[in-house]
Amino acid sequence: MKKVVLVNAGLAVALSAVLDSSRYRIMECDDFNEEELRLTGASIDACILDVDLTTVEPIRQVEKLRRLLPQCPVIIYASETDRRWEEEAYLLKVSHVLDKPMRERLLNSLLDRLRTDRAPAEEKQAPPTQQKKPAAEAPGTGQVLRMLHKSCSIL
């Protein structure tokens, strides 16, 4: 089954050149809104934005995405970044902020990792550990004295 990657306007052509079309389906979205996402009828596996992190506007887009797709990984491609806005993006749980130009191997690797990171929780849980039986209690001072007394009386 193909993984669905949602992208903002203008990025679909560039992504189609670097992503394997047999593994990924690219959906272009002009304005991230609930109706548009509902009409697609698809489960979104990742979201990739092409924005410059130099103003608050891209942060507003990320906030909007978080409301609509709270668990969806978000990757940002940016020509320019400002540390304050990049930090804000990470605080909004953006998975990665990458510099342009797009690098095919890097993007495919990140998408593969994101896919494994989103595996169902039950698959990620460690197998249950067996409960250890409580060890026999170490003899207390009273027991040791009684044992010594018995051994001394035998001699």
Side-chain angles (χ1 to χ4, degrees):
M1 186 167 156
K2 289 185 183 183
K3 296 296 172 186
V4 178
V5 179
L6 182 69
V7 299
N8 58 341
L11 191 58
V13 174
L15 272 181
S16 63
V18 296
L19 290 181
D20 181 3
S21 62
S22 66
R23 293 177 56 206
Y24 297 101
R25 179 177 147 217
I26 300 169
M27 284 179 30
E28 192 168 15
C29 207
D30 290 329
D31 182 35
F32 301 108
N33 62 51
E34 203 169 345
E35 293 124 29
E36 196 172 14
L37 293 177
R38 206 174 319 124
L39 288 174
T40 64
S43 169
I44 310 299
D45 295 296
C47 199
I48 302 176
L49 301 176
D50 180 11
V51 294
D52 287 332
L53 290 174
T54 54
T55 66
V56 72
E57 291 308 313
I59 299 302
R60 298 292 175 248
Q61 276 187 303
V62 173
E63 287 172 340
K64 191 175 191 179
L65 272 173
R66 281 286 158 243
R67 283 192 302 274
L68 296 171
L69 304 166
Q71 300 303 315
C72 185
V74 176
I75 296 174
I76 291 178
Y77 269 101
S79 296
E80 297 179 46
T81 60
D82 180 300
R83 282 187 174 168
R84 293 173 295 172
W85 298 119
E86 186 175 345
E87 181 180 321
E88 194 66 31
Y90 281 121
L91 290 172
L92 289 169
K93 298 183 181 170
V94 166
S95 302
H96 301 281
V97 175
L98 304 173
D99 295 330
K100 288 182 185 177
M102 284 186 199
R103 293 177 302 282
E104 181 178 353
R105 286 184 10 211
L106 175 63
L107 181 58
N108 280 290
S109 175
L110 290 177
L111 288 173
D112 286 343
R113 284 186 205 167
L114 292 175
R115 196 166 78 215
T116 57
D117 288 349
R118 293 186 71 197
E122 58 272 3
E123 290 178 15
K124 286 186 167 185
Q125 290 177 349
T129 57
Q130 292 181 349
Q131 298 262 341
K132 291 184 180 178
K133 293 180 182 178
E137 286 186 34
T141 308
Q143 288 178 323
V144 171
L145 289 176
R146 282 192 293 277
M147 288 169 46
L148 282 174
H149 181 66
K150 284 183 183 177
S151 64
C152 289
S153 61
I154 295 175
L155 296 174

